[in-house]
Amino acid sequence: KDYNSSHHEILVTKDTYYKAFVESYKTIEEPNYNISLPTYLITAQTEGVRGDHKRVILSGDGGDELFCGYPYYRDAQKMKQQMSLLTPPLYSLLKNYRNNTHYDFKEVADRFAFFKRFTRTPTKSTLSPLPTLHKALDPLYNLYAQKKDSGMYDMMLGDRFLWLPGENFIRSDKLYMHESIELRSPLSYHPFRLFIDSVLKENEYRNDTENKVYLRKLFTGRLPSYITERKKKTGWRAPIEYWYDARFKSLFLDIINTQRGGGLIDWPLIKKEIEKSATWPGKYSHLYCSLAILSTHFNLDL
């Protein structure tokens, strides 16, 4: 209305989400606990070859990781400041005691794991993903992060090289390309990232009350104030916690029941957890549903 532009809404309902559930996790072709996959598939089907035949989508993927959009980036900055006052060993001792964790918060990869909740196991455990995480992130931090010396930038860098390609881009590529739609994410173009990194100062990322300070300042007077002055981060996700009912519970159990057992996953335990809960059992139930769907689809024994 403000810009007299065309606007088209895609209605995602409880029923359409239910119908697209299995197909979305099958289409992604790898384990995933994103609860909004069915909504992305519905959007792609509406816009793509089976719908309005749109061919290219511009996406803002990478904007949060470039301009400091997520709340935990600020928390990471505070953590680094607190460590400078307490010393890293003392801070690690107190933080681990309080959270029942086993991280070395002096290490950036450990801090990233803490905020992403990758592990609650001791770092020496063979089940811990920390060694692999260090192998992936340490060279990146040595190459880029030392130039910034910023707790916020440390986390943005981790998300750029792990979260975005491992979740966002795979999701977008698999679901949208499945409907013959190409997706472009200009904010994730690496040379552009390096340019923005080189010109933004610490106080242009976040302040005490706002995120994306640089963008807010840049677009003040060019975009409506209800956008530039908006405090809360907005987004959209499937409201599965409100939609979840006996029909969804039955769907989840039907998916889990396709598994024979005896492999890597304790399927009877997963089934028991779903059965005993009258409410949505949480996003990790989607991970196990995706594993069961893929196990059936590719004839695997998980």
Side-chain angles (χ1 to χ4, degrees), residues 137-148:
L137 289 181
D138 288 350
L140 294 172
Y141 289 130
N142 291 333
L143 184 61
Y144 296 109
Q146 291 180 358
K147 300 176 183 178
K148 280 282 188 182

Side-chain angles (χ1 to χ4, degrees), residues 10-14 16-18 20-21 24-25 34-46 171 175-176 236-240 243:
I10 298 173
L11 180 63
V12 179
T13 67
K14 177 179 177 179
T16 57
Y17 179 94
Y18 176 90
F21 189 88
S24 67
Y25 287 97
N34 191 314
I35 65 174
S36 294
L37 289 189
T39 63
Y40 293 124
L41 180 60
I42 292 167
T43 303
Q45 289 174 340
T46 303
R171 176 194 71 208
L175 295 181
Y176 287 95
W236 61 281
R237 52 178 276 167
I240 182 62
W243 284 346

Side-chain angles (χ1 to χ4, degrees), residues 29-250:
E29 292 185 318
E30 58 184 85
N32 195 293
Y33 60 71
N34 191 314
I35 65 174
S36 294
L37 289 189
T39 63
Y40 293 124
L41 180 60
I42 292 167
T43 303
Q45 289 174 340
T46 303
E47 293 291 293
V49 67
R50 289 189 257 181
D52 295 335
H53 298 280
K54 302 295 190 299
R55 299 309 302 271
V56 178
I57 291 179
L58 284 178
S59 167
D61 285 339
D64 287 308
E65 295 80 3
L66 181 60
F67 295 105
C68 199
Y70 291 122
Y72 85 89
Y73 292 159
R74 180 193 295 170
D75 296 335
Q77 183 70 6
K78 290 180 179 178
M79 177 180 285
K80 194 164 187 178
Q81 293 168 347
Q82 290 167 350
M83 274 193 295
S84 68
L85 298 175
L86 295 176
T87 74
L90 179 57
Y91 182 87
S92 295
L93 180 65
L94 295 174
K95 192 74 171 178
N96 283 320
Y97 176 78
R98 186 173 183 179
N99 292 276
N100 190 29
T101 52
H102 301 80
Y103 296 106
D104 180 1
F105 287 97
K106 174 175 59 66
E107 299 291 337
V108 183
D110 282 56
R111 299 202 298 271
F112 185 80
F114 172 79
F115 284 113
K116 305 302 281 191
R117 300 178 182 178
F118 277 3
T119 178
R120 293 290 182 185
T121 61
T123 54
K124 294 182 180 180
S125 168
T126 56
L127 297 176
S128 173
L130 278 174
T132 302
L133 195 61
H134 274 274
K135 185 176 181 180
L137 289 181
D138 288 350
L140 294 172
Y141 289 130
N142 291 333
L143 184 61
Y144 296 109
Q146 291 180 358
K147 300 176 183 178
K148 280 282 188 182
D149 190 28
S150 164
M152 291 185 289
Y153 185 74
D154 290 343
M155 299 302 104
M156 287 192 288
L157 194 62
D159 277 341
R160 290 179 192 177
F161 285 93
L162 290 181
W163 163 253
L164 275 174
E167 163 61 30
N168 287 42
F169 295 150
I170 287 176
R171 176 194 71 208
S172 299
D173 183 61
K174 295 290 182 68
L175 295 181
Y176 287 95
M177 284 297 290
H178 187 259
E179 302 300 321
S180 298
I181 296 177
E182 300 242 2
L183 188 136
R184 298 285 183 264
S185 302
L187 295 181
S188 294
Y189 182 51
H190 190 56
F192 179 65
R193 282 177 176 169
L194 295 180
F195 169 73
I196 295 297
D197 289 345
S198 69
V199 298
L200 289 193
K201 299 179 175 61
E202 193 76 35
N203 61 358
E204 292 179 297
Y205 287 115
R206 301 190 71 97
N207 56 34
D208 291 337
T209 60
E210 295 178 325
N211 63 352
K212 300 182 180 177
V213 171
Y214 175 77
L215 287 183
R216 293 177 188 275
K217 181 179 179 180
L218 182 65
F219 288 102
T220 295
R222 303 181 183 185
L223 290 176
S225 60
Y226 60 76
I227 294 178
T228 58
E229 297 177 9
R230 183 175 60 205
K231 303 295 183 183
K232 186 176 180 181
K233 177 176 170 56
T234 62
W236 61 281
R237 52 178 276 167
I240 182 62
E241 57 265 49
Y242 303 105
W243 284 346
Y244 193 81
D245 57 13
R247 184 171 65 150
F248 276 98
K249 183 174 183 176
S250 178

